[in-house]
Structures are given as structure tokens and as C-alpha cells.
Amino acid sequence: AQKVTQAQTEISVVEKEDVTLDCVYETRDTTYYLFWYKQPPSGELVFLIRRNSFDEQNEISGRYSWNFQKSTSSFNFTITASQVVDSAVYFCALSEAGYMVGAQKLVFGQGTRLTINP
Amino acid sequence: GAVVSQHPSRVICKSGTSVKIECRSLDFQATTMFWYRQFPKQSLMLMATSNEGSKATYEQGVEKDKFLINHASLTLSTLTVTSAHPEDSSFYICSAPRAGGSTDTQYFGPGTRLTVL
């Protein structure tokens, strides 16, 4: 069975600090997808990134970066120079591979509530 | 802009009544949609997979007679909570997969907050 663990329930940092959100996953599939979503107070999930299991390249998008380590089954998310607007709940998710990336159900981690203080 | 809409965004009802929640994909067709439930400060739990033209697939422990799902068209799925009780109060979120090359993924609706009195 698939499982995603986000051990950090809540993180609070001061603005401009760097922060890393951890995500560890379990799956028996050899091909799978990993995702990060942001859920601001409004409740709507915002897609941040998708990573294929066969692509271990790390990715950077502005202040956001992701570190995918297949050897440790981890897919960590780092925010550099955090801002108050980054405050939200962040979810890591996993799905099996299929004919279409988003067509498989997602298994979510418990989420990490990130608070950026001014 | 939003690619998946949900209606209503909030609903308050009395115990015993039924509530219908609509999920629409905007500008794209979705043969599959997903319904999730999220309790306060908890994660999203998949309830069921809605399939256009066939029966929904429910996750273990989800009562199909209580949570009726109808995928009426390629852009609309509805979730009806029948005979709602206070323990059904939750945040219900739908999603739909949208193909877009490197960014194809599930896009989520804004959610419906259900409060049963």
C-alpha cells in the first residue's frame, strides 16, 4: 500500500529564513508520481510540482526547490527567503503511474502547517 | 484562473436533510473526477472516484448509499450527502485530471464546507 509521511506537523519561522518541509513515501510501484500542493487559508489546493519516479533531478522554481532522493524515498521541499505569503498548509502526495498523470488517485501526507512570522 | 469549480462553497443544513455538491471542470472534459473529504486540521482522504458513464468507485469504509455520486456529463460530477448528520460536517473537495504535458495533474476545486446542525 502507498503511504506518505510528513513528520513535521507545524513549523514556524521568521520571515526571510529558509525552511525545509520533509516528505517520506512508501510504495511498491516502480513507477509513480510525487506531488506537492499548497493549501492557503482559503482552502483551495494549489498545485506546486509533480515529479516522476524516473526523474531524480532536483528542481528549482524561484524561491522554491525540491530534492528528490529515491534511495531514501524522500521528496523534500525547501522555501528560500520565506515570506509571510508562504504561510499555508503544504501537502505531499503520491500516485501510481498510469495512462495519464492525474488520473490516478492521490495519497496525501498529513500536511505541514507552515507559519511565517514577520 | 480556476479550472475546476464547486458549488456551493458553503452550506448549512439541518440533520436529516440531503445536500448536493456540484463539481465542474472548466474548459476541459474529465471522464474521471475524485471526491475527497478533509476534517479540520487533517489531511485529505479520498472518498470515491467518479466515472462518467459508469458507477463510482468507493474507497473502503465509505458508504455508497450515503454519499451518492453521479457523473452526469464529461464536465460535471455531483456528490449528494443523504440524510446528513453532524458527523458529516466536513470540507469536501473534488478534483479532476487535466492533461497538459509536463504539468498534467489533478486540479482541485475550491471546496465545499458542509455544516450539519
Side-chain angles (χ1 to χ4, degrees):
Chain A
Q2 296 182 327
K3 183 179 179 181
V4 177
T5 301
Q6 294 179 255
Q8 305 150 307
T9 305
E10 296 189 26
I11 299 176
S12 181
V13 300
V14 177
E15 198 171 21
K16 297 184 182 178
E17 287 186 19
D18 299 346
V19 58
T20 295
L21 310 181
D22 298 333
C23 173
V24 175
Y25 63 93
E26 297 176 28
T27 181
R28 294 180 180 176
D29 296 330
T30 55
T31 305
Y32 49 88
Y33 297 107
L34 294 163
F35 304 80
W36 275 96
Y37 285 89
K38 174 182 180 180
Q39 187 177 41
S42 65
E44 183 170 358
L45 272 81
V46 177
F47 168 72
L48 295 178
I49 190 172
R50 181 199 86 207
R51 175 60 67 212
N52 305 329
S53 56
F54 49 84
D55 181 4
E56 287 195 69
Q57 280 191 343
N58 292 325
E59 183 157 339
I60 298 175
S61 177
R63 297 185 295 107
Y64 296 171
S65 62
W66 291 269
N67 186 329
F68 178 30
Q69 296 279 352
K70 216 170 177 180
S71 60
T72 56
S73 297
S74 66
F75 186 41
N76 297 337
F77 173 32
T78 297
I79 300 175
T80 304
S82 61
Q83 299 176 2
V84 173
V85 293
D86 296 326
S87 296
V89 180
Y90 290 86
F91 289 98
C92 180
L94 167 70
S95 80
E96 62 184 27
Y99 73 95
M100 183 175 159
V101 175
Q104 280 65 50
K105 60 184 180 182
L106 293 172
V107 175
F108 284 86
Q110 300 90 324
T112 297
R113 183 175 300 275
L114 176 63
T115 302
I116 310 298
N117 300 299
Chain B
V3 296
V4 176
S5 69
Q6 268 184 256
H7 177 80
S9 58
R10 292 178 181 270
V11 58
I12 301 173
C13 68
K14 292 182 178 179
S15 186
T17 60
S18 294
V19 176
K20 180 185 283 187
I21 303 170
E22 293 186 348
C23 177
R24 293 182 184 275
S25 58
L26 307 176
D27 299 327
F28 71 100
Q29 296 180 336
T31 57
T32 299
M33 291 185 178
F34 300 93
W35 286 95
Y36 295 85
R37 180 166 57 182
Q38 184 180 29
F39 290 108
K41 295 191 176 183
Q42 293 190 26
S43 186
L44 282 78
M45 298 298 294
L46 180 67
M47 298 175 65
T49 302
S50 176
N51 304 301
E52 192 273 335
S54 63
K55 292 182 179 180
T57 305
Y58 290 82
E59 294 299 300
Q60 191 173 10
V62 178
E63 300 175 59
K64 61 181 180 180
D65 293 331
K66 179 166 186 62
F67 299 100
L68 301 179
I69 291 173
N70 181 26
H71 204 130
S73 72
L74 289 171
T75 60
L76 173 64
S77 174
T78 60
L79 167 67
T80 301
V81 183
T82 63
S83 187
H85 287 94
E87 57 265 31
D88 299 324
S89 298
S90 188
F91 192 52
Y92 292 87
I93 309 172
C94 70
S95 70
R98 180 182 185 184
S102 62
T103 59
D104 52 329
T105 185
Q106 276 185 39
Y107 286 89
F108 287 81
T112 296
R113 193 164 301 281
L114 171 63
T115 302
V116 185
L117 303 176

